[in-house]
Each structure stands twice: as structure tokens, then as C-alpha cells.
Amino acid sequence: MVAGLSSTVLLSGETGTGKEVIANAIMVMSNRKNGPFIKINCAAIPHSLMEAELFGHERGAFTGAIALKKGFFERAQGGTVFLDEIGELTTNAQTRLLRVLQEKEIERIGGKSTIPLDIRIIAATHRDIEQMVKEGRFRQDLFFRIKVFPIDIPPLRHRKNDILLLIKHFIKKKSIDMKLKFTPDIAPGAAERLLEYDWPGNVRELENLIERSLILSQGEPLTFNEFQTNNRREGQRTKNSDKMDVYDLNEVISRHIKKVLVKCNGRIEGTHGAARLLNVKPPTLRSRMKKLGIPFGKKAGMHSQ
């Protein structure tokens, strides 16, 4: 809905949820896709250089400014600026950014004339900007300006239906990146423990695990055995806990169906299909999966029959 417009977008979510991926998707689907796409990590710019890097400077504006320099915003003319970790902007940079959003213009440090801008801004943060506004660490007027179209990206633990799709995607992608001769399969039952994990590092943690598993597999089916070692602390915590986890009945059924699907490599029908193991008819299983929001067939990227 917003990609084809020039409206400012604010992406919020935990570290590793894929904010930059969403920003890329918005840019590719926009009418600015052929223009510059400038990515700026605000947390990586020293505070003393932030204004000069973002807005540019004139020659002689300060000690060391031996030549005119265009800032990131000016270099993005006709395109898109992705401001990652916008919560790290200094107070002065926030004030200048507000002018960019309000007036569509900038003034270089040491400059005497304004420069009109034709850019689209996509901002991202893992911080609670509203809380920063309350604490006086982020301008309220700027917050309202960047929050034209907010998109909250949920953590991976809140969208576990995506895990199997992401596993298959990253296996294929990383196999190509690593120039493997063929794409390894997933060993039967190997993905089950990945479905139970909460993924504090989100999609980035899952992507790194897949790459590590491909390196260790040496061409054999992926077992994710190394993940069991990484997850030992979580398992020990659960073992020592006196509390019993209680789940909604539909969640229990959903988890069980997903485990069986992993074991059957996504197949629903046939002798080795999930329907046979669950002792239900394939149409009944598909109907139940649809109600529970479990993807199958082309939606799941599996070869369901």
C-alpha cells in the first residue's frame, strides 16, 4: 500500500527481524527504484561527524573541511534514504532532519543557501521511540513526522509458521552464496527443535545457524546437531523449572502437525504422508491446517500432495 508512494515509513522491531529487508522491498516496489538507495547506520557515525556526513559541508566550514562535500541526503536526490537506528541521531541532527521532512530542503554546514531535495525517507529502529520522547531524548515533532506509516515487524517467536519457510529459503540462498555443488536436504525430524526455540536473535540468528550447519554438514543432510549444544542452557532452564507450560489446545495440535510435516518433508498424502501418520483423511488434515493457519502446498514452498 505504501511502497508506490513517497510517504515516510517507520520500521520498528527487535534486532534481527529484517527491517533492512523490508526497506529494500519498499524501495524495489517504489517509483524510485532506479534512483539512489542510500543506507545509513546512524549508530555507526561518530556524533562529532554526524551532521557533516548527513547534510554535507562547505569548504572551510570547520577545521579539516578542505573541500566541499555533499552529504548522504544530497547524494540521494531522486531516490531513497534508509536511516537505520534513527534513535541514535544527535539532537542537532534531529533538528536538521525535521527541516528535511517539513521543507524538503537542506543547508550544508557553513552554507548560506538552501538546497531543495527530492528524496523518500525510510527510518528504522529497535528502540522505543515513544519512551525516548517522554524522556526528552527524541524530538516529539520529529517522531510524528517519521511516523507517517509505521510498520511493526514482529519477532520470529511470534510467527513460528515462518520458520520452515525461512529454513528452506536460507538453505537455498546460502548454498548458492557458498557455491555448493548441490543443495543439501534436511534430515528427517531435524527441524523439530528449531520450531521449539524462541530465537532471541530472530531471523538473523536463524540465517547464521543455517550457514553454520551447511559448513559442518560437508554435503550430508542437515541435522542441526550443533544447535542442540547452543540450546543446552535453555533446555537446562526448562528441566529445572517447577512450572509446567500450559498451551492452548489449538496450539498443541498445531505444533504436533508441524512436527509431523517436518518428518514427512511437507508431504500430506500417500503412504509416507502426514495424513497417514496422523490417521486422518488428507482433506480433513488440510481443512484443519487451514483453520490453524499452517501453510501447505505452494504457500509453504513444499511438495505437498
Side-chain angles (χ1 to χ4, degrees):
M1 289 186 290
V2 77
L5 306 175
S6 291
S7 302
T8 303
V9 177
L10 175 62
L11 305 172
S12 301
E14 295 178 5
T15 299
T17 50
K19 294 185 287 295
E20 186 173 338
V21 175
I22 301 297
N24 283 328
I26 293 173
M27 185 278 297
V28 169
M29 292 188 289
S30 75
N31 54 11
R32 297 174 179 268
K33 61 183 178 182
N34 295 322
F37 186 38
I38 307 295
K39 301 178 181 179
I40 307 166
N41 185 345
C42 300
I45 304 176
H47 285 189
S48 59
L49 299 177
M50 185 168 289
E51 290 180 74
E53 290 293 322
L54 294 178
F55 307 101
H57 60 75
E58 299 285 348
R59 179 182 179 182
F62 51 83
T63 303
I66 58 176
L68 180 151
K69 179 180 178 179
K70 292 183 178 181
F72 288 128
F73 287 107
E74 196 173 347
R75 280 181 264 166
Q77 285 282 24
T80 304
V81 173
F82 176 50
L83 285 174
D84 196 10
E85 300 304 342
I86 193 172
E88 300 292 338
L89 287 179
T90 62
T91 302
N92 288 340
Q94 290 179 34
T95 302
R96 285 180 174 270
L97 177 58
L98 183 62
R99 181 176 180 180
V100 171
L101 293 170
Q102 288 179 333
E103 309 298 336
K104 305 297 183 184
E105 63 183 23
I106 61 168
E107 185 176 302
R108 299 189 195 113
I109 296 176
K112 297 180 180 179
S113 60
T114 59
I115 302 169
L117 291 180
D118 175 24
I119 62 173
R120 196 246 187 103
I121 293 179
I122 302 174
T125 183
H126 73 282
R127 292 177 174 272
D128 186 344
I129 299 294
E130 290 190 55
Q131 183 60 35
M132 292 180 66
V133 170
K134 293 178 182 178
E135 296 172 355
R137 295 187 291 128
F138 199 89
R139 291 186 61 128
Q140 186 178 53
D141 47 4
L142 176 59
F143 176 56
F144 291 144
R145 284 288 180 177
I146 64 173
K147 198 182 178 183
V148 174
F149 196 87
I151 299 177
D152 185 41
I153 306 173
L156 190 54
R157 63 182 175 275
H158 291 166
R159 48 188 175 104
K160 290 197 172 184
N161 286 347
D162 290 349
I163 292 178
L164 288 178
L165 299 175
L166 287 167
I167 291 173
K168 291 177 179 292
H169 166 72
F170 285 132
I171 289 176
K172 182 178 180 180
K173 178 179 181 294
K174 293 294 181 180
S175 295
I176 295 173
D177 292 345
M178 297 166 66
K179 296 181 173 56
L180 301 182
K181 294 181 179 180
F182 62 91
T183 303
D185 294 323
I186 302 174
E192 292 182 10
R193 67 173 69 95
L194 306 191
L195 293 172
E196 300 298 327
Y197 186 53
D198 276 345
W199 299 102
N202 292 295
V203 179
R204 187 177 298 144
E205 183 182 5
L206 176 60
E207 180 180 8
N208 291 339
L209 169 68
I210 297 301
E211 182 172 351
R212 185 164 64 251
S213 297
L214 286 170
I215 295 171
L216 295 173
S217 71
Q218 296 294 298
E220 296 295 323
L222 302 180
T223 62
F224 306 120
N225 286 336
E226 72 282 358
F227 181 73
Q228 192 171 23
T229 300
N230 294 341
N231 209 26
R232 183 180 298 169
R233 182 179 299 177
E234 177 67 17
Q236 188 65 35
R237 184 193 65 79
T238 303
K239 182 178 179 180
N240 293 337
S241 176
D242 292 331
K243 289 186 176 180
M244 181 182 72
D245 291 332
V246 179
Y247 300 104
D248 176 84
L249 181 58
N250 283 336
E251 184 178 352
V252 174
I253 296 173
S254 177
R255 288 181 176 218
H256 185 59
I257 290 176
K258 289 175 185 176
K259 287 182 180 180
V260 174
L261 283 171
V262 170
K263 186 174 183 180
C264 299
N265 197 28
R267 184 179 293 273
I268 292 178
E269 298 188 9
T271 305
H272 302 291
R276 176 67 65 87
L277 288 181
L278 291 168
N279 196 27
V280 297
K281 295 181 179 179
T284 302
L285 177 56
R286 289 194 182 94
S287 176
R288 178 60 63 88
M289 290 170 65
K290 186 175 181 180
K291 290 180 180 178
L292 294 172
I294 303 173
F296 59 88
K298 291 182 179 179
K299 292 182 179 180
M302 301 175 179
H303 303 294
S304 301
Q305 297 183 3

